[in-house]
Coordinates of all heavy atoms in Angstrom, one line a residue:
Chain W
P40 N 93.7 126.4 278.7 CA 92.3 126.6 279.2 C 91.5 125.3 279.2 O 90.6 125.1 280.2 CB 91.7 127.7 278.5 CG 92.9 128.3 277.7 CD 94.0 127.4 277.6
L66 N 66.6 102.4 283.8 CA 65.2 102.5 283.6 C 64.8 101.8 282.2 O 63.9 101.0 282.1 CB 64.7 103.8 283.6 CG 63.2 104.2 283.5 CD1 62.4 103.7 284.7 CD2 62.9 105.4 283.0
Q69 N 65.4 98.0 282.3 CA 64.4 97.4 283.1 C 63.0 97.2 282.3 O 62.2 96.2 282.4 CB 64.0 98.1 284.3 CG 65.1 97.9 285.5 CD 64.8 96.7 286.3 OE1 64.0 95.8 285.9 NE2 65.5 96.6 287.4
F71 N 62.7 96.6 279.4 CA 62.7 95.6 278.3 C 62.9 94.2 279.1 O 63.0 93.2 278.4 CB 63.9 95.7 277.3 CG 63.7 96.9 276.4 CD1 64.4 98.0 276.5 CD2 62.6 96.8 275.5 CE1 64.1 99.2 275.6 CE2 62.3 97.9 274.6 CZ 63.1 99.0 274.5
L87 N 59.8 92.5 274.4 CA 58.8 93.6 274.3 C 57.5 93.3 274.9 O 56.7 94.1 274.8 CB 58.7 93.8 272.8 CG 59.9 94.5 272.0 CD1 59.7 94.5 270.5 CD2 60.2 95.9 272.6
T89 N 56.6 93.2 278.0 CA 56.2 94.2 279.1 C 55.6 95.5 278.4 O 54.5 96.0 278.9 CB 57.5 94.7 279.8 OG1 58.2 93.5 280.3 CG2 57.0 95.6 280.9
E92 N 52.1 94.8 277.4 CA 51.2 94.7 278.5 C 50.6 96.1 278.6 O 49.4 96.2 279.2 CB 51.8 94.3 279.8 CG 51.7 92.9 280.1 CD 52.3 92.8 281.6 OE1 51.7 93.1 282.5 OE2 53.4 92.2 281.7
P188 N 28.2 113.4 285.6 CA 29.0 112.1 285.4 C 30.4 112.4 285.1 O 30.8 113.4 284.7 CB 28.2 111.6 284.1 CG 27.7 112.8 283.6 CD 27.3 113.8 284.6
G191 N 32.2 114.3 288.4 CA 31.7 114.3 289.8 C 32.1 113.3 290.7 O 33.0 112.6 290.4
E223 N 56.7 140.4 279.2 CA 57.4 141.7 279.4 C 58.1 142.1 278.1 O 58.6 143.2 278.1 CB 58.3 141.4 280.5 CG 57.7 141.4 282.0 CD 58.5 141.5 283.1 OE1 59.7 141.4 283.1 OE2 57.7 141.7 284.3
I257 N 53.6 128.3 275.9 CA 54.0 126.9 275.6 C 55.2 126.4 276.6 O 55.1 125.4 277.1 CB 54.5 126.8 274.1 CG1 53.4 127.1 273.2 CG2 55.1 125.5 273.9 CD1 53.8 127.1 271.7
L328 N 62.2 130.3 278.1 CA 62.2 129.6 279.2 C 63.2 130.4 280.2 O 64.2 131.0 279.7 CB 63.0 128.1 278.9 CG 62.1 127.1 278.6 CD1 62.9 125.8 278.4 CD2 61.0 126.9 279.8

Side-chain angles (χ1 to χ4, degrees):
Chain W
L66 178 78
Q69 284 279 9
F71 289 111
L87 286 172
T89 308
E92 265 187 73
E223 288 194 351
I257 295 175
L328 277 178

